[in-house]
Amino acid sequence: MSAAPISAAHQAIARGEPPLTPAATAEPFWVRALLIGIALAFLTLFLFVPLVAVFYEALRKGWDVYVASITEADAWSAIKLTLITAAIAVPLNLVFGVAAAWAIAKFEFRGKNLLLTLIDLPFSVSPVISGLIYVLLFGLQGYLGPWLREHDIKILFAVPGIVLATIFVTFPFVARELIPLMQSQGSEEEEAALVLGASGWRTFWHVTLPNIKWGLLYGVILCNARAMGEFGAVSVVSGHIRGETNTIPLQVEILYNEFNITGAFAVASLLAFLALVTLAIKSVIEWRLHQQHSASEQV
């Protein structure tokens, strides 16, 4: 009888070489072309076309009309309020996110899982519901409403209510970005710094913070984008007072409901431009994070 033919894989094993295995992504050309075509069609239909339509409608009547729409008194007030809200909410969420991530990633304590669950709460609760919670707490018929009225303190339908609602819907972003990053880095460097005599704050500023700076910036950018674009929770607590408590998304809704299409798209283009800038910065940070991860693996 003739010997059975020996496969290439068996020959490689006999020579002490690793067996040749087909690549997991080695699909036929038509399969790859079909998948890429579906992805491009989806992006074109649901991303590129709406984005182009926003800027086209905003500039359709000319540059002068566009500038007048975004510099109009109510629009300018909405822009300033949005920037003020983000300027307050983002730094507070940054402090909370770093503290929560440091505690969860570096220490073991009772209630750790509960803290993780609370951090994820805004992801599972509708923003409208969170706004209604603040109405229940601070409204005239709410738990603290009568006391606030007696002391002439305004929370709802004022800047404090908008800031509180924005903080609630955005506080998971920094923490959720840092927790897996700090867990993957471990605590060996911090422990070594403490053994060498560094204090807790010195260890944080010179060891922990440099290691998480790109992840921290990534979380801050996402938090800022959500803070500027939040609609549901802010809509409930703002009262829609023109020139006082309308943010950019609320101003877009008002202009659109008044059939001021050009003005609505002009103001909306500011948020679209913010999204593009956020995407560009996000891509750069992801690239830096990838480089940092590759360098740590080589070490």
Side-chain angles (χ1 to χ4, degrees):
M1 293 179 62
S2 59
I6 301 176
S7 66
H10 287 86
Q11 292 177 0
I13 294 174
R15 293 194 300 267
E17 300 175 356
L20 298 176
T21 56
T25 56
E27 299 291 345
F29 173 77
W30 69 269
V31 175
R32 287 178 287 168
L34 178 61
L35 293 176
I36 293 173
I38 292 174
L40 290 177
F42 185 89
L43 288 174
T44 300
L45 182 62
F46 294 101
L47 180 61
F48 299 137
V49 171
L51 191 61
V52 171
V54 169
F55 287 99
Y56 172 78
E57 290 293 336
L59 298 169
R60 186 163 59 90
K61 293 185 179 180
W63 181 255
D64 293 339
V65 176
Y66 176 81
V67 173
S69 298
I70 63 176
T71 56
E72 185 262 338
D74 290 344
W76 186 241
S77 174
I79 294 171
K80 289 193 294 184
L81 179 57
T82 301
L83 294 177
I84 291 172
T85 302
I88 297 173
V90 173
L92 292 177
N93 283 327
L94 185 152
V95 174
F96 167 79
V98 172
W102 197 10
I104 291 172
K106 305 297 183 180
F107 303 98
E108 294 294 333
F109 56 91
R110 291 184 179 181
K112 187 174 181 178
N113 292 331
L114 177 61
L115 179 57
L116 281 169
T117 302
L118 293 177
I119 290 174
D120 290 336
L121 186 62
F123 289 145
S124 58
V125 175
S126 169
V128 176
I129 300 301
S130 64
L132 290 175
I133 292 174
Y134 285 110
V135 173
L136 180 63
L137 288 175
F138 304 119
L140 291 179
Q141 307 300 323
Y143 297 119
L144 301 178
W147 184 87
L148 293 173
R149 185 176 183 179
E150 290 177 2
H151 293 80
D152 195 25
I153 299 175
K154 285 188 176 182
I155 302 294
L156 289 183
F157 313 141
V159 175
I162 295 174
V163 172
L164 287 174
T166 303
I167 290 174
F168 179 83
V169 299
T170 57
F171 79 78
F173 287 95
V174 176
R176 264 304 173 189
E177 189 61 37
L178 291 180
I179 289 171
L181 175 62
M182 296 176 75
Q183 286 178 333
S184 66
Q185 292 176 347
S187 58
E188 289 81 6
E189 294 185 22
E190 285 84 357
E191 292 173 355
L194 293 173
V195 169
L196 293 174
S199 63
W201 279 111
R202 189 176 182 85
T203 299
F204 172 77
W205 285 110
H206 295 280
V207 178
T208 304
L209 190 59
N211 288 336
I212 65 171
K213 60 182 179 181
W214 292 110
L216 178 61
L217 183 58
Y218 185 82
V220 167
I221 289 173
L222 294 179
C223 180
N224 181 71
R226 177 62 187 275
M228 290 190 174
E230 176 55 31
F231 178 83
V234 172
S235 177
V236 174
V237 301
S238 72
H240 294 273
I241 304 174
R242 301 191 66 154
E244 295 185 19
T245 62
N246 281 335
T247 58
I248 293 178
L250 301 183
Q251 181 68 13
V252 171
E253 182 195 29
I254 289 176
L255 293 174
Y256 188 81
N257 290 336
E258 293 177 348
F259 301 102
N260 186 354
I261 305 301
T262 301
F265 278 100
V267 178
S269 68
L270 297 177
L271 288 178
F273 178 74
L274 170 67
L276 293 175
V277 172
T278 302
L279 181 63
I281 299 175
K282 174 177 172 289
S283 300
V284 173
I285 293 175
E286 284 179 340
W287 174 71
R288 293 300 300 266
L289 283 173
H290 178 71
Q291 281 192 328
Q292 185 181 26
H293 182 68
S294 300
S296 62
E297 286 184 344
Q298 291 178 358
V299 173

